[in-house]
């Protein structure tokens, strides 16, 4: 049963419930102590061990119900229908079996036909056909479960794999014997053939349903993970509108992970060195008795981040997701100020204070979109924020550096470089395109501490993570 429990934990992980190896061992001990007889008791015990938040508990309860709910395969109705139809077929066609004192039961009909068919005789001696004839639902369900474990059905990830796993389970259960018997009966023109074909179809249908249930159980979370991976590696300007909502959710998920990883921890305040002159001076009114001591403390300025985004048509999509990422980390990234530009530049921080991030991004794109002039925009930025840049300031510039052959005003960027802690330039274009045509990237690169290609969420997450490390 431990293998089932491990499979259940893997399923929880695919649904984004965090379960560590230590918690897995705890769950095994809980299951061993509580047993599997009382399902509700086991559910409550595992929930207390594996679910750490209210959201995870809700997911746990849904997954537990689906994973441990086991319905037996239904062979009853088809068998009765088959029996009636077989009787009708046999009587209508007035076959040879009716002449041989056939009493109407499917088992007797098949046994009579097996006298002339070695393949059918071998099939009738096997457990699969006996279970089908006797409607042994428990045995057939157990055989399907064992075959599913044998072919690793729990590894199913894509809907395109359902047919493949169905075939492998049927082979593991011995369905090939039924196929051989059907071929032999067909070649001999035996009228019992439709009856055996119905048993085969009934078995296939039950296995298909079983694979479908297992796919929904195991592959749902994996499919979501696969979709997230695809979206995170897709160029942001190639993402279709229908997936924008999913990308935004993915960004929030990434931001939440980074926030939990790099959130500021409460530090013990260092009192610094004893300020002896001040301590003596404050003790004068007490005849030199130093009732109070005073310490020198060095105050550090909080770091700030200035995000400067090109929101012209070719780069607007990248700027949108960068701003969404940065403002999703407001609890971790201190003092984020944002600027948008195309032909001219303006500060847009107020938009993010007044509106939700998605709405603010739309307003920024609407107000500052247009043809690009990097030289004029850098001049506007210097007028607005150059005086506020200090050694604790990180300046992030997102743009393709295509200046339409205008003056790049490299001298302004060099001034920013000299005053700031670091200048990071994120370019959505491939490095091979830098410096081609009207691109001034190679010149701007000389005035940056770090420059990188950034055109998907993986690049964006990596850059933001480095930024968080540097601001801790």
């Amino acid at each position: 049963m431990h293998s089932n429990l491990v499979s259940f934990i893997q399923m929880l992980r695919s649904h984004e419930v965090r379960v560590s190896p230590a918690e897995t061992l705890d769950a095994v001990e809980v299951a061993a102590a509580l047993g599997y007889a009382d399902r509700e008791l086991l559910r409550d015990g595992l929930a207390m061990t594996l679910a750490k938040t209210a959201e995870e508990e809700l997911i746990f309860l849904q997954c537990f119900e689906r994973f441990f709910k086991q319905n037996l395969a239904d062979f009853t109705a088809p068998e009765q229908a088959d029996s009636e139809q077989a009787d009708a077929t046999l009587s209508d066609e007035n076959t040879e079996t009716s002449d041989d004192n056939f009493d109407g039961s499917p088992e007797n009909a098949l046994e009579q036909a097996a006298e002339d068919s070695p393949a059918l005789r071998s099939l009738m001696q096997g457990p699969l056909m006996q279970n089908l004839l006797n409607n042994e639902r428990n045995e057939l369900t157990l055989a399907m479960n064992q075959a599913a474990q044998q072919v690793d059905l729990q590894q199913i990830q894509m809907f395109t794999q359902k047919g493949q796993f169905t075939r492998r389970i049927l082979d593991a259960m011995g369905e090939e014997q039924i196929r051989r018997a059907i071929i032999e009966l067909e070649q001999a023109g035996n009228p019992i053939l439709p009856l055996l074909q119905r048993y085969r179809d009934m078995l296939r249908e039950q296995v298909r349903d079983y694979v479908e249930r297992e796919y929904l159980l195991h592959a749902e979370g994996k499919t979501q993970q696969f979709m997230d991976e695809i979206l995170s590696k897709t160029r942001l300007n190639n993402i279709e509108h229908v997936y924008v909502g999913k990308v935004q959710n993915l960004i929030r998920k990434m931001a939440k992970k980074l926030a939990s990883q790099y959130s500021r921890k409460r530090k013990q305040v260092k009192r610094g060195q004893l300020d002896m002159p001040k301590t003596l001076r404050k003790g004068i009114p007490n005849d030199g008795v130093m009732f109070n001591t005073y310490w020198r403390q060095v105050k550090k300025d909080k770091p700030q981040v200035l995000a400067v985004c090109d929101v012209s048509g070719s780069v607007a999509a990248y700027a949108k997701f960068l701003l969404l990422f940065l403002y999703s980390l407001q609890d971790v990234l201190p003092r984020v100020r944002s600027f948008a530009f195309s032909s001219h530049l303006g500060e847009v921080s107020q938009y993010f204070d007044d509106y939700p991030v998605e709405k603010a991004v739309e307003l920024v794109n609407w107000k500052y979109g247009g043809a690009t002039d990097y030289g004029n925009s850098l001049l506007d930025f210097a007028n607005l924020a150059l005086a506020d840049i200090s050694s604790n300031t990180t300046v992030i510039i997102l743009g393709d550096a295509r200046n339409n052959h205008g003056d790049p005003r490299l001298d302004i960027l060099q001034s920013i470089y000299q005053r700031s802690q670091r200048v990071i330039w994120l370019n959505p274009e491939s490095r091979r395109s830098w410096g081609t045509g009207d691109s001034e990237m190679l010149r701007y690169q000389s005035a940056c501490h770090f420059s990188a290609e950034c055109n998907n969420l993986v690049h964006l997450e990596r850059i933001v993570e480095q930024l968080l490390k540097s601001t801790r």
Side-chain angles (χ1 to χ4, degrees):
M1 293 299 290
H2 289 339
S3 61
N4 276 343
L5 183 57
V6 172
S7 300
F8 174 62
I9 291 174
Q10 289 176 347
M11 177 182 152
L12 287 177
R13 287 174 176 153
S14 69
H15 286 75
E16 299 184 354
V17 176
R18 297 162 297 158
V19 181
S20 68
E23 290 168 340
T24 302
L25 295 176
D26 291 342
V28 171
E29 291 184 2
V30 168
L34 300 179
Y36 290 86
D38 190 336
R39 200 170 75 166
E40 292 186 359
L41 183 63
L42 177 65
R43 181 197 62 195
D44 295 341
L46 291 178
M48 294 179 66
T49 307
L50 300 175
K52 294 171 284 295
T53 64
E55 182 182 0
E56 288 185 355
E57 184 177 6
L58 181 61
I59 297 174
F60 171 88
L61 294 176
Q62 294 174 349
C63 292
F64 185 92
E65 185 64 24
R66 294 170 59 191
F67 187 86
F68 288 99
K69 182 181 179 182
Q70 184 67 63
N71 293 326
L72 296 178
D74 185 10
F75 294 90
T76 305
E79 184 173 345
Q80 292 175 348
D82 289 344
S83 177
E84 295 172 357
Q85 291 175 10
D87 293 343
T89 302
L90 291 172
S91 60
D92 292 344
E93 295 180 359
N94 192 21
T95 60
E96 296 178 0
T97 52
S98 60
D99 297 332
D100 295 337
N101 298 323
F102 170 57
D103 61 3
S105 76
E107 185 173 1
N108 287 341
L110 289 170
E111 285 178 352
Q112 290 176 10
E115 295 175 359
D116 301 327
S117 170
L120 182 58
R121 193 182 313 125
S122 175
L123 174 65
M124 294 295 291
Q125 295 172 355
L128 175 62
M129 197 62 206
Q130 289 301 319
N131 289 332
L132 286 171
L133 289 171
N134 298 324
N135 190 26
E136 296 288 351
R137 298 175 61 189
N138 288 327
E139 295 295 331
L140 290 168
T141 303
L142 181 61
M144 271 198 296
N145 288 336
Q146 292 174 343
Q149 290 182 359
Q150 184 178 341
V151 303
D152 288 333
L153 179 60
Q154 295 171 352
Q155 301 302 321
I156 188 171
Q157 296 184 358
M158 306 293 294
F159 71 93
T160 53
Q161 295 176 295
K162 288 192 289 186
Q164 177 189 0
F165 275 102
T166 300
R167 169 47 50 199
R168 291 170 63 185
I169 290 175
L170 286 170
D171 290 343
M173 293 180 69
E175 193 248 4
E176 186 179 359
Q177 283 187 306
I178 301 180
R179 293 206 308 271
R180 282 202 298 265
I182 287 175
I183 293 172
E184 197 170 281
L185 293 176
E186 191 174 17
Q187 291 174 347
N190 196 314
I192 205 67
L193 175 64
L195 176 61
L196 189 58
Q197 286 176 330
R198 290 191 189 97
Y199 276 107
R200 178 201 61 186
D201 296 341
M202 182 171 56
L203 177 64
R204 289 180 175 179
E205 182 181 357
Q206 291 301 320
V207 172
R208 275 197 298 269
D209 291 346
Y210 178 79
V211 171
E212 179 72 25
R213 288 195 300 272
E214 292 297 308
Y215 165 74
L216 294 175
L217 186 63
H218 294 283
E220 183 181 3
K222 294 176 182 176
T223 302
Q224 183 61 42
Q225 290 178 344
F226 178 74
M227 190 67 190
D228 289 349
E229 184 179 352
I230 294 294
L231 287 175
S232 64
K233 293 180 179 178
T234 303
R235 291 180 71 93
L236 293 173
N237 65 338
N238 289 336
I239 293 176
E240 296 181 8
H241 183 71
V242 68
Y243 295 115
V244 170
K246 290 184 177 180
V247 173
Q248 291 176 349
N249 291 334
L250 187 56
I251 288 176
R252 292 191 191 92
K253 194 187 304 179
M254 290 177 171
K256 184 178 179 182
K257 185 183 73 174
L258 291 175
S260 63
Q261 186 175 355
Y262 294 99
S263 60
R264 290 182 173 273
K265 297 180 180 178
R266 190 181 297 275
K267 293 182 179 179
Q268 186 175 3
V269 177
K270 295 180 180 179
R271 60 184 181 181
Q273 293 182 339
L274 180 64
D275 188 348
M276 200 63 197
K278 186 175 181 179
T279 302
L280 291 173
R281 191 168 57 250
K282 295 291 184 180
I284 291 175
N286 305 317
D287 294 334
V289 179
M290 297 177 286
F291 286 108
N292 299 313
T293 53
Y294 298 89
W295 306 86
R296 291 193 182 96
Q297 292 182 343
V298 179
K299 293 185 178 178
K300 292 183 178 179
D301 294 334
K302 291 184 179 178
Q304 69 170 344
V305 176
L306 304 183
V308 185
C309 299
D310 180 357
V311 292
S312 62
S314 57
V315 196
Y318 304 99
K320 172 182 177 180
F321 291 115
L322 173 65
L323 292 173
L324 188 62
F325 215 133
L326 291 179
Y327 278 90
S328 298
L329 288 167
Q330 276 187 318
D331 294 337
V332 185
L333 275 179
R335 300 174 61 191
V336 176
R337 293 175 63 188
S338 51
F339 302 84
F341 71 92
S342 53
S343 59
H344 65 285
L345 179 142
E347 183 169 0
V348 295
S349 305
Q350 190 64 37
Y351 287 92
F352 293 91
D353 295 334
D354 298 339
Y355 300 98
V357 177
E358 294 83 357
K359 179 68 176 177
V361 170
E362 291 180 6
L363 292 174
V364 168
N365 288 342
W366 173 75
K367 184 171 183 179
Y368 291 97
T372 311
D373 186 340
Y374 275 78
N376 189 40
S377 298
L378 284 174
L379 182 60
D380 290 341
F381 180 70
N383 294 331
L384 283 173
L386 187 60
D388 299 330
I389 295 176
S390 66
S391 58
N392 290 319
T393 303
T394 298
V395 180
I396 302 176
I397 302 175
L398 176 67
D400 57 7
R402 295 200 173 274
N403 196 33
N404 296 318
H405 303 288
D407 184 359
R409 295 303 304 267
L410 185 61
D411 56 317
I412 298 178
L413 188 60
Q414 288 172 339
S415 299
I416 298 171
Y417 173 86
Q418 292 168 357
R419 297 172 67 96
S420 63
Q421 182 183 17
R422 71 179 64 82
V423 176
I424 300 173
W425 193 298
L426 306 179
N427 194 325
E429 291 189 342
S430 169
R431 280 185 178 273
R432 292 187 292 272
S433 302
W434 294 6
T436 61
D438 60 347
S439 173
E440 301 286 353
M441 189 61 212
L442 296 181
R443 300 178 66 183
Y444 285 139
Q445 191 178 10
S446 64
C448 296
H449 294 86
F450 177 75
S451 59
E453 177 183 339
C454 178
N455 52 40
N456 59 40
L457 290 184
V458 173
H459 294 159
L460 201 54
E461 183 185 26
R462 190 181 304 136
I463 297 296
V464 173
E465 186 174 9
Q466 291 178 358
L467 181 64
L468 290 171
K469 285 180 181 176
S470 64
T471 56
R472 293 187 74 180

